[in-house]
Amino acid sequence: MSYEAVNYETVNYETILVDIKEGVGTITLNRPKVMNALSQTLTREVGEAVDALEKAEEVGCIIITGGDKVFAAGADINEMKDLTFPQLYMADFPYIQRDCWRAIDEARKPVIAAVAGFALGGGCEMTMACDFIIAAESAKFGQPEVSIGTIPGAGGTQRLTKAVGKAKAMEMCLSGRVMDAEEAERSGLVSRIVAVDELADVAFKTACKIASYSRPVVYMIKESVNMGVDASLRDGLAFERRNFASSFAFEDCKEGMTAFAEKRKPDFKHR
């Protein structure tokens, strides 16, 4: 399944809200009556919105959030329960909307998950597809699919293992145990914890700061970190050195260093 780039200004989404402010595009999951359960429509719309924000020149960073009550309590089981293996296999997992996760995972612009309340099942998998997670004190993460007779299907067994290690990921996926925000930060799943009433502001200010920097340099940093996740240290360091040298070809590099020497704020042009 694929989709065309969507102009966020002309779309009336059914299950999400999209807002752009000060160079930050914010996607808010908006199915409060079902705790933002991930339906096919919601995942499709998230993918379309990420794709559109990725192409929006005024956007330098993206936030995905569910608001201050819940991120997403899991899949929409009522929509999912009657699917068959041939349907899932032949349609390449239509429920999971692989293009949604690909849009998040392959976005060159940084994508931040701002999480309050439950992020379970597909909700947890969506947060892990983002570049990093800022969690409210109320955040809870888990892969409870085993309790309904199936397994994580959108990266839960893979990204969780990379984030927290085999032992903890194995325990959580096999038992369905939910991890609170403190344990998630201690385990490396989230970058930091903030008060619930500060979550939106902290995520927005973080995204604004990222969006204010040179966009090609931000892309290079994200690319280098992602390279290091799967590469050997030797290959990762070589890749980093090449990107470091390449950054000197950017006008923004010269501007940034000149501004530092002149003790002024740099005026990045994203080139």
Side-chain angles (χ1 to χ4, degrees), residues 42-57:
L42 185 147
T43 52
R44 186 189 71 247
E45 289 186 344
V46 169
E48 289 172 347
V50 170
D51 193 54
L53 294 172
E54 173 77 357
K55 293 174 173 61
E57 291 186 4

Side-chain angles (χ1 to χ4, degrees), residues 199-221:
L199 176 64
D201 187 54
V202 170
F204 180 72
K205 286 181 178 178
T206 302
C208 282
K209 189 170 187 179
I210 293 170
S212 73
Y213 294 138
S214 169
R215 199 162 299 164
V217 171
V218 167
Y219 289 177
M220 272 191 169
I221 292 170

Side-chain angles (χ1 to χ4, degrees), residues 33-271:
K33 292 182 179 179
V34 290
M35 299 181 73
N36 292 337
L38 303 185
S39 63
Q40 291 190 58
T41 299
L42 185 147
T43 52
R44 186 189 71 247
E45 289 186 344
V46 169
E48 289 172 347
V50 170
D51 193 54
L53 294 172
E54 173 77 357
K55 293 174 173 61
E57 291 186 4
E58 68 269 38
V59 173
C61 192
I62 300 168
I63 296 170
I64 300 179
T65 186
D68 61 1
K69 300 295 184 183
V70 63
F71 184 83
D76 189 331
I77 303 303
N78 286 327
E79 181 181 85
M80 194 177 181
K81 62 184 177 60
D82 294 324
L83 294 175
T84 65
F85 168 73
Q87 286 177 311
L88 288 168
Y89 184 76
M90 295 304 293
D92 200 9
F93 282 62
Y95 168 74
I96 291 172
Q97 292 289 353
R98 195 175 67 176
D99 283 349
C100 170
W101 268 258
R102 184 186 295 117
I104 298 170
D105 191 48
E106 296 183 359
R108 299 185 76 190
K109 296 173 183 177
V111 183
I112 302 169
V115 181
F118 289 115
L120 304 179
C124 184
E125 290 169 318
M126 184 176 286
T127 70
M128 292 190 294
C130 298
D131 293 306
F132 61 92
I133 302 168
I134 298 175
E137 294 168 333
S138 64
K140 297 183 184 300
F141 301 88
Q143 301 292 160
E145 288 86 350
V146 66
S147 67
I148 58 169
T150 188
I151 75 168
T157 63
Q158 304 303 302
R159 288 193 173 97
L160 186 62
T161 303
K162 288 181 179 294
V164 304
K166 176 186 173 183
K168 194 174 288 288
M170 189 73 80
E171 180 214 359
M172 290 178 66
C173 290
L174 289 175
S175 71
R177 183 176 71 82
V178 173
M179 176 189 293
D180 64 20
E182 183 178 346
E183 183 182 1
E185 183 187 36
R186 188 171 65 245
S187 303
L189 181 61
V190 308
S191 63
R192 56 174 155 157
I193 303 171
V194 299
V196 174
D197 59 359
E198 296 176 357
L199 176 64
D201 187 54
V202 170
F204 180 72
K205 286 181 178 178
T206 302
C208 282
K209 189 170 187 179
I210 293 170
S212 73
Y213 294 138
S214 169
R215 199 162 299 164
V217 171
V218 167
Y219 289 177
M220 272 191 169
I221 292 170
K222 176 173 174 175
E223 184 181 49
S224 298
V225 173
N226 283 334
M227 173 68 176
V229 171
D230 296 314
S232 67
L233 179 60
R234 180 187 296 273
D235 289 343
L237 288 171
F239 187 83
E240 179 188 73
R241 284 194 296 271
R242 285 194 294 272
N243 269 351
F244 171 70
S246 298
S247 72
F248 279 69
F250 297 142
E251 292 178 23
D252 286 340
C253 180
K254 303 304 181 187
E255 165 61 15
M257 293 186 180
T258 300
F260 179 84
E262 296 176 353
K263 296 181 172 57
R264 61 174 175 82
K265 184 178 180 180
D267 181 20
F268 293 127
K269 301 297 186 183
H270 309 302
R271 57 178 182 256

